[in-house]
Amino acid sequence: MSAALQTIALEKRFGGLIATDKVSLTLEHGARHALIGPNGAGKTTFVNLLTGVLPANGGQILLDGNDITRKSQIQRARLGLGRTFQINQLFGAMTPVESIGLAVSERMGGGRDFWRRVGTRTDILDEITGLIERFRLTEVMDHPTRLLPYGKQRLLEIALALASNPRVLLLDEPAAGVPEAERGELLETLAQLPRDVSILLIEHDMDLVFAFAERITVLVNGALFADGTVSEIMSDPRVQAVYLGSDAHA
């Protein structure tokens, strides 16, 4: 069986600078996989290659065995590749229920006309309700998003990504900016994400990484430095020297 997502010798150059150096990574079906590395390791560039924000100079990207290397961002999303961002992309004036309703409607081709016929589609209503409850947004579902605690905004962003029914979800630093008091709720919610979605987590918060991930890949200077189980990475002296022993908890 093919992997959920795979890169083969993926490469990105900016002039003479090699930002992604022939990286081969395999994300298995149902994976809880983390991508870590020091600042400047090339994690964001790698994610932008996966999602089509940047074109690759070499190598391949396979989604369920299908080559998507030259597909557009929209095509990749339609094929089941979803992502969140380091800085959220939410509409501040919309409420969570409006945002999720619109996302579900867009996926089904309804657009903004959704709200005029929502009462006739119990399946859509059930999906919206399920996402609101799963991501612990019930108490704030009718509040403008800009007024939500930042942890709730992060949960809403993940809910919106899940509303597109991705097969693979890239979580780009979901804990960034979230106060310590709200991180527990975020971690518990991530732990309950459905197993039919394969997840690649890009994160600096090592407590979150070790609690969530079952496998970890380490990038250093744009190249694959180490790959293994959580226990293997935690005990790898090379990783401790370049990352875990330095700024892992910074």
Coordinates of all heavy atoms in Angstrom, one line a residue, residues 225-227 235-243:
F225 N 18.1 15.0 8.8 CA 19.2 14.8 9.7 C 19.0 13.5 10.5 O 19.9 12.7 10.8 CB 19.3 16.0 10.7 CG 20.5 15.9 11.7 CD1 21.8 16.2 11.2 CD2 20.3 15.5 13.0 CE1 22.8 16.1 12.1 CE2 21.3 15.4 13.9 CZ 22.6 15.7 13.4
A226 N 17.7 13.2 10.9 CA 17.4 12.0 11.6 C 15.9 11.7 11.4 O 15.1 12.6 11.2 CB 17.7 12.2 13.1
D227 N 15.5 10.4 11.6 CA 14.2 10.0 11.5 C 14.0 8.8 12.3 O 14.8 7.8 12.2 CB 13.8 9.7 10.0 CG 12.4 9.4 9.8 OD1 11.5 10.3 9.6 OD2 12.0 8.2 9.9
S235 N 16.7 9.9 22.3 CA 17.9 9.3 22.8 C 19.1 9.4 21.8 O 20.2 9.0 22.1 CB 17.7 7.8 23.1 OG 17.3 7.1 22.0
D236 N 18.8 10.0 20.7 CA 19.9 10.2 19.7 C 20.8 11.3 20.1 O 20.4 12.5 20.1 CB 19.2 10.5 18.3 CG 20.2 10.5 17.2 OD1 21.4 10.8 17.4 OD2 19.8 10.2 16.0
P237 N 22.1 11.0 20.4 CA 23.0 12.1 20.8 C 23.3 13.2 19.8 O 23.5 14.3 20.1 CB 24.3 11.3 21.1 CG 24.2 10.0 20.3 CD 22.7 9.7 20.3
R238 N 23.2 12.8 18.5 CA 23.3 13.8 17.5 C 22.2 14.9 17.5 O 22.4 16.1 17.4 CB 23.4 13.2 16.1 CG 24.5 12.2 15.9 CD 24.4 11.5 14.5 NE 23.1 11.0 14.3 CZ 22.4 11.3 13.2 NH1 22.9 12.1 12.2 NH2 21.2 10.8 13.0
V239 N 21.0 14.4 17.7 CA 19.8 15.3 17.8 C 19.9 16.1 19.0 O 19.7 17.3 19.0 CB 18.5 14.5 17.8 CG1 17.3 15.4 18.0 CG2 18.4 13.7 16.5
Q240 N 20.3 15.5 20.1 CA 20.5 16.3 21.4 C 21.5 17.4 21.2 O 21.3 18.5 21.7 CB 20.9 15.3 22.5 CG 19.9 14.3 22.9 CD 20.3 13.3 23.9 OE1 21.5 13.4 24.4 NE2 19.5 12.4 24.3
A241 N 22.6 17.1 20.5 CA 23.6 18.1 20.3 C 23.2 19.3 19.5 O 23.5 20.4 19.8 CB 24.8 17.4 19.7
V242 N 22.4 19.0 18.4 CA 22.1 20.1 17.5 C 20.7 20.8 17.8 O 20.4 21.9 17.3 CB 22.1 19.7 16.0 CG1 23.4 19.1 15.6 CG2 21.0 18.7 15.7
Y243 N 19.9 20.1 18.6 CA 18.5 20.6 18.7 C 18.0 20.4 20.1 O 17.8 21.4 20.9 CB 17.6 20.0 17.7 CG 16.2 20.6 17.7 CD1 16.0 22.0 17.7 CD2 15.1 19.8 17.8 CE1 14.8 22.5 17.7 CE2 13.8 20.4 17.8 CZ 13.7 21.7 17.7 OH 12.4 22.3 17.7

